[in-house]
Amino acid sequence: MTRGWIIAVLAALAALMLPGATRAQAGLVGTNLGVCVTRAAPGMTPAALFASPARFDCETPQRRFGSGDYWVLSKRIPTAVTTIPHMRVRFASLWQDRLTLYARYADGHVETQLLDGRGVSRHIQLGAIIEVRLPMRAAPLERLLWHVEHATNTRAVMMGVTLAGMRDSTGANLTMAAIYAGFGGLAVALFVYNLALWFVLRHRFQLAYCAMLACLGVYALSSSGALAWIWPDVANNDRIRLNYVMLAGSASAALVFARCFFEERVFGRRLKLMAAATIAGLLGSSALLAAAAPWRMMLLDKLYAFAFAFLLVTAAAVLWRAWRERSNYLWLFAIAWASPIALATVRVAGNLQLIGWSFWVDNSTILAMATEALLSSVAIAYRIRLLSKERDEAREQEVAARLLADIDPLTGLLNRRGFLREAIGRGGDHRLFIVDIDHFKRVNDTLGHDGGDEVLRIVARSLRAVAPAGAIVARIGGEEFAILTGVFAPLDAQAMLGRIRAERMPFDITVTVSIGSCAGGIESEAAWKSMYRRADRALFEAKAAGRDRARCEAAA
């Protein structure tokens, strides 16, 4: 099942990589425009560049040019496109300090629009697509030219350029709004649900999952471009910084979640160190990039990509170790995290220039984590069910151990500890019988200790047999027994004496007992001590009177 899921996800991603697939992507609606680039040089003017398109390179991958200032020229715009009402140009948001867009019409007029870092934010649509509306003129639009200043060029200088109408733009925003709103609602619901469960159950993996959801929620708000709608004055590059930090934070929290989700035996010393190094790499590279960018941005971006590549290696090591240790949660974790791991692999490949750019892969984290969130909610529920089962079994074992601690192993009766735990605190009046075997030392000397133990077992059976329902019967000393009953319970000391006289003892020896009893309350330890002293005095009187008899102490 897991293998089939992974294959399906990879197949879908491969489809997105096929030529022409980007034209059908929600964020890139409209007519695709090819662009060519040239590095900016002193003296270049829009008029001269419009007049000499041969100066632009249309073949070399843009990332090979490195960071700097560039001019980007679109290919000639098809005549059919120029008739689109309310036309706007759309392109992907990238790390750039300033953009100047020049739109040249067939009558020679050039329309200019300047977008600085904050100006870009005011034109961002959902999916982090920059959209600039182009003025309508009687003459058709011929070409577009951008002057891009301080481009880091970690992905490209300009990519995903399309011309679209208002209807296409609105449809793209609605599509992306549905995707992001669905994920946002799911993330908030699961955050509240898991946080509430954490307050009750205190499982660490729930808190780690909440941290991951919180980071993903902020990442979705920022990477979608919605942050720019809420805060129009935010610099676009600062929004991208936040993307890097939140994505690394969510990945680190996901690794902590895995550390807490699996059984302790899965994470050995080496795997713990590997996970700690991965988290340090993710957080360190994102913090360095956010603080130092755009300085050496290409290098910082590669370090960030390698940190995620190491995360994938760590994830593979965790899954392999969980398989080796036969973890109960492996199949759940593998199913839930198959799509995020697969999509993370594709994104890392894109960052390392192994595959081309895709709008959906660039927004894949939200789609993958939405799938993961749904499946992980099932995994967490199953994990809690197993933990509850383990807790119930532990409680049963604890109860069994406590019972064993309260039971006399020789006779099967309660021992003194168990008797006191059961007796003290009972409300109402009770009657206490203290039963002591007469001349038990002589019995041991005659029969040996094995014979003496058998006599103790026979006496215990006899007392249990004559005790009424609800009575507490215990062996509270070597040859001393106790019976606690309600004050009106049908238990007669003479019946106990007769029952023990009638028992057949080892080697047919005669065994008798002496009994002392009293009545009173046993609501506290002091009351118990008082009752015991009075019953013990009555027992002493029975012994002094010749044994094999019972005496009752009057109430105090």
Side-chain angles (χ1 to χ4, degrees), residues 167-335:
R167 179 177 296 180
D168 288 336
S169 174
T170 303
N173 277 333
L174 288 175
T175 300
M176 298 308 299
I179 292 172
Y180 281 103
F183 173 77
L186 184 64
V188 170
L190 287 176
F191 179 86
V192 173
Y193 170 73
N194 282 280
L195 190 62
L197 284 179
W198 178 79
F199 277 113
V200 175
L201 302 176
R202 298 288 177 171
H203 295 312
R204 288 184 299 167
F205 65 82
Q206 293 169 319
L207 204 57
Y209 196 72
C210 287
M212 183 190 74
L213 288 172
C215 289
L216 281 174
V218 177
Y219 173 77
L221 183 68
S222 176
S223 66
S224 66
L227 180 64
W229 289 19
I230 299 170
W231 184 13
D233 288 334
V234 65
N236 190 51
N237 289 347
D238 291 341
R239 182 189 64 81
I240 297 174
R241 291 178 206 268
L242 187 60
N243 290 351
Y244 278 104
V245 174
M246 288 298 103
L247 190 58
S250 63
S252 300
L255 193 52
V256 174
F257 169 76
R259 170 71 181 84
C260 301
F261 185 79
F262 283 111
E263 301 92 336
E264 187 65 29
R265 67 179 185 274
V266 171
F267 276 78
R269 181 175 176 274
R270 291 183 179 178
L271 195 53
K272 287 180 181 178
L273 290 175
M274 188 175 184
T278 302
I279 292 172
L282 288 168
L283 298 180
S285 63
S286 64
L288 183 62
L289 190 151
W295 176 80
R296 304 298 298 272
M297 187 62 174
M298 295 288 283
L299 174 61
L300 295 178
D301 187 70
K302 281 193 179 297
L303 289 175
Y304 187 80
F306 280 123
F308 271 87
F310 193 66
L311 171 66
L312 297 175
V313 174
T314 304
V318 170
L319 294 174
W320 179 81
R321 179 74 177 177
W323 177 77
R324 284 286 303 272
E325 294 294 332
R326 299 182 181 276
S327 170
N328 294 320
Y329 316 125
L330 173 59
W331 65 277
L332 281 169
F333 189 87
I335 292 174

Side-chain angles (χ1 to χ4, degrees), residues 125-137:
Q125 305 300 304
L126 291 182
I129 296 294
I130 301 171
E131 180 180 278
V132 180
R133 185 173 176 179
L134 301 172
M136 293 293 295
R137 294 181 60 83

Side-chain angles (χ1 to χ4, degrees), residues 87 103 105 109 111-113 132-139 141:
M87 187 189 306
Y105 294 83
H109 176 78
E111 191 74 31
T112 303
Q113 297 194 47
V132 180
R133 185 173 176 179
L134 301 172
M136 293 293 295
R137 294 181 60 83
L141 182 68

Side-chain angles (χ1 to χ4, degrees), residues 159-171:
M159 64 184 183
V161 181
T162 63
L163 281 176
M166 184 174 65
R167 179 177 296 180
D168 288 336
S169 174
T170 303

